[in-house]
Amino acid sequence: MTHSIGSPVDAAHAIAGNEPLLYSETPTDERGNFAYTGDLFRAREDLASLCARIDVHLRCQFPALGFSLVRTRFAGGRKIKLEIADTPMDLRDPLLRDALLAAVRDQIERFGFMRSNIYQDYMSVSFFSEVAIGKDYWMRLAARTELQNPVEPRLSLAQFKRTIKPGDILRLIHAPWDGRNLGIERRVDAVRSGDIIIAGSYLTLPRAAGFACDGRQIRIAMGDATDPDAHLLYEWTRCSD
């Protein structure tokens, strides 16, 4: 589930006065005990229902935030991961980034409980939570601010994987680093679902949103907080050309 976005941190601050004590504001006592129960917690709630409620709540609290929720079960319990996909905020600023991550997690934790003791290595939670900045966010930020080497997306990632063949040649013409492979032609050995084997090394393919190909050039986004526009740019020569 992905939504469009505004000013999340400002929204969190605006409503703070009407909220009970948040997860990040709950202290640990002198014996190492931590106890928190969110005001929106429901006992024995199934994971699908829980995620649906969290999704609606976050859309109200952070109307300008684009995000996806992923729920998983494992031997140790349940986990909800939120990945931020878009926001007009420039999250290269670590203080702003950390404030946003904390504000979003505080709202998620309102749906759960935690009991723990740091000295006894004890923890009991209704679910584990994680909030992270997704690669889609850095790609969108770069597109708004400083995109270099744009490539017209004429071939989708799925079409590209069906078209590229062993024997084709890829030449790396741009990378975020100065490497010995820049300018060198390398032959494609194999094409797999998630990567391409080129001269014995692996080129990991991104998600569709981070890929652009015009039939001759291939752009693979790999941005992060230090360089939102980090990318690889290849020139593609087909063996039949």
Side-chain angles (χ1 to χ4, degrees):
M1 296 169 283
T2 303
H3 315 286
S4 57
I5 110 171
S7 177
V9 173
D10 290 344
H13 290 167
I15 61 175
N18 299 321
E19 293 179 349
L21 197 65
L22 297 172
Y23 175 86
S24 64
E25 301 168 336
T26 304
T28 300
D29 70 19
E30 67 281 358
R31 296 183 179 181
N33 295 305
F34 177 85
Y36 175 81
T37 300
D39 60 304
L40 301 176
F41 169 70
R42 292 178 183 173
R44 297 181 295 279
E45 183 173 17
D46 69 83
L47 193 55
S49 172
L50 174 63
C51 286
R53 287 204 302 130
I54 291 174
D55 181 82
V56 172
H57 177 74
L58 292 177
R59 277 192 287 165
C60 293
Q61 298 295 316
F62 308 110
L65 189 70
F67 63 89
S68 62
L69 282 177
V70 177
R71 60 181 189 264
T72 56
R73 298 179 184 273
F74 56 100
R78 312 182 296 177
K79 181 176 180 178
I80 297 174
K81 180 177 180 179
L82 182 142
E83 192 171 274
I84 293 173
D86 197 11
T87 171
M89 302 166 68
D90 188 337
L91 298 180
R92 284 174 291 188
D93 181 338
L95 294 178
L96 187 60
R97 184 168 67 247
D98 290 347
L100 173 59
L101 294 175
V104 173
R105 189 183 179 196
D106 269 340
Q107 294 303 313
I108 293 174
E109 293 293 347
R110 291 177 65 187
F111 292 81
F113 73 81
M114 175 182 288
R115 303 287 183 272
S116 66
N117 186 288
I118 58 175
Y119 301 123
Q120 298 175 8
D121 194 25
Y122 166 77
M123 178 183 291
S124 175
V125 296
S126 55
F127 62 86
F128 296 92
S129 67
E130 179 184 353
V131 181
I133 310 297
K135 285 189 175 295
D136 285 359
Y137 167 76
W138 302 117
M139 179 193 67
R140 290 185 171 104
L141 177 64
R144 289 195 296 267
T145 57
E146 53 188 82
L147 189 68
Q148 297 179 335
N149 301 318
V151 172
E152 186 177 348
R154 295 176 183 167
L155 280 183
S156 69
L157 179 57
Q159 291 172 322
F160 169 75
K161 288 192 289 187
R162 289 195 300 267
T163 306
I164 189 169
K165 298 287 189 272
D168 288 1
I169 300 297
L170 293 180
R171 182 168 70 93
L172 182 63
I173 55 180
H174 175 85
W177 57 83
D178 292 326
R180 58 186 176 85
N181 291 322
L182 280 174
I184 296 177
E185 293 184 346
R186 296 191 296 163
R187 189 175 300 276
V188 174
D189 296 326
V191 180
R192 306 191 300 187
S193 61
D195 59 29
I196 299 173
I197 302 176
I198 312 172
S201 63
Y202 297 88
L203 171 61
T204 301
L205 295 172
R207 294 191 294 190
F211 177 88
C213 178
D214 61 7
R216 178 63 67 179
Q217 290 190 327
I218 301 163
R219 192 182 195 277
I220 296 175
M222 48 190 303
D224 57 22
T226 58
D227 184 2
D229 192 38
H231 64 279
L232 300 173
L233 185 68
Y234 284 92
E235 184 181 74
W236 174 24
T237 301
R238 307 183 201 188
C239 58
S240 59
D241 286 357

